[in-house]
Amino acid sequence: QVQLVQSGADVKKPGASVKVSCKASGYTFSDHYLYWVRQAPGQGLESMGMIKPTTGSTAYSQKFQGRLTLTRDTSTNTLYMDLSSLTSDDTAVYYCVRNTFSGFDFWGQGTLVTVSS
Amino acid sequence: QSALTQPRSVSGSPGQSVTISCTGTSSDVGGYNLVSWYQQHPGKGPRLIIYDVTEGPSGVPDRFSGSKSGNTASLTISGLQAEDEADYYCSSYAGRDIYVFGTGTEVTVL
């Protein structure tokens, strides 16, 4: 069965960077684009960007340009999301999500990132 | 890349129907038949319930249906049940591998 298993919760200080991992299994890794979506406490869903597993090429939402880096390791079918210059506004649950072009069909369990001094 | 606009909340009694709107622009909702809907219960992750505007994944009750007219998509829940009480989000492709989500709607079963 398809699984996206993310790394555990993290606490960072303002100005720091955070790296969240997501290991995919149960399907052919190269067959689907993967996205990162975040949700601040009590707020809605926000798409951050995507990575193509085959080539590693990326597309980022304007809001995160310059501060978001998405990478992947095809030897372990693992994705990485690196977000820098953190502020309290970045406190959120971060999800890795499989995309079928028609929609987002499988979601990781989510990783809570808390930014606090 | 602005969020799609949804009503903050809708409510209905068991057995009734409710409809949630999702308004975007010609660059997203109106430009592609790639609108999807997600259900999210408190403390849980989102679940895909509609894709390609009208299609339902296997395992999703057929009381959930989708439609689109111009720049506005809609989700209708027919025969409302207690377990349908949740937050609902729309999403649309916006070109260049970018997707945008709606602001979210809280559905309350009275």
Side-chain angles (χ1 to χ4, degrees):
Chain A
Q1 70 284 21
V2 175
Q3 284 194 304
L4 299 170
V5 180
Q6 300 182 220
S7 49
D10 206 346
V11 180
K12 295 294 183 182
K13 293 192 182 303
S17 297
V18 67
K19 192 166 189 172
V20 179
S21 67
C22 170
K23 183 173 176 59
S25 63
Y27 74 99
T28 302
F29 186 61
S30 58
D31 281 355
H32 296 275
Y33 295 2
L34 286 143
Y35 283 71
W36 289 86
V37 175
R38 76 176 187 180
Q39 186 171 35
Q43 302 301 308
L45 302 171
E46 181 175 36
S47 180
M48 301 176 68
M50 79 83 196
I51 187 164
K52 300 180 184 181
T54 48
T55 63
S57 63
T58 55
Y60 301 131
S61 294
Q62 287 178 355
K63 178 175 179 178
F64 300 99
Q65 289 275 1
R67 160 169 110 87
L68 175 65
T69 304
L70 302 181
T71 56
R72 94 283 188 236
D73 181 344
T74 55
S75 68
T76 60
N77 292 355
T78 302
L79 313 171
Y80 299 94
M81 181 215 65
D82 200 318
L83 187 63
S84 62
S85 303
L86 294 170
T87 72
S88 57
D89 290 341
D90 293 315
T91 293
V93 175
Y94 290 77
Y95 295 99
C96 64
V97 194
R98 193 178 85 163
N99 177 263
T100 68
F101 198 62
S102 297
F104 298 104
D105 63 348
F106 283 94
W107 296 64
Q109 83 274 21
T111 296
L112 174 63
V113 175
T114 303
V115 182
S116 173
S117 55
Chain B
Q1 295 164 5
S2 300
L4 308 176
T5 301
Q6 297 180 231
R8 181 173 292 272
S9 64
V10 300
S11 61
S13 299
Q16 288 186 328
S17 293
V18 296
T19 296
I20 302 167
S21 61
C22 168
T23 301
T25 69
S26 58
S27 296
D28 38 61
V29 174
Y32 308 91
N33 286 324
L34 292 171
V35 175
S36 51
W37 289 89
Y38 303 85
Q39 177 191 63
Q40 186 178 34
H41 287 108
K44 303 290 187 181
R47 171 199 181 196
L48 176 67
I49 57 172
I50 293 288
Y51 65 93
D52 288 351
V53 180
T54 61
E55 302 299 311
S58 61
V60 173
D62 57 9
R63 63 177 183 275
F64 293 96
S65 63
S67 63
K68 190 185 88 167
S69 178
N71 296 337
T72 298
S74 298
L75 173 73
T76 297
I77 309 174
S78 306
L80 199 61
Q81 298 186 9
E83 61 260 37
D84 299 334
E85 187 161 289
D87 293 329
Y88 291 82
Y89 295 91
C90 61
S91 177
S92 174
Y93 185 66
R96 298 186 179 185
D97 295 320
I98 296 297
Y99 288 77
V100 61
F101 283 94
T103 50
T105 299
E106 180 181 25
V107 171
T108 301
V109 181
L110 301 172

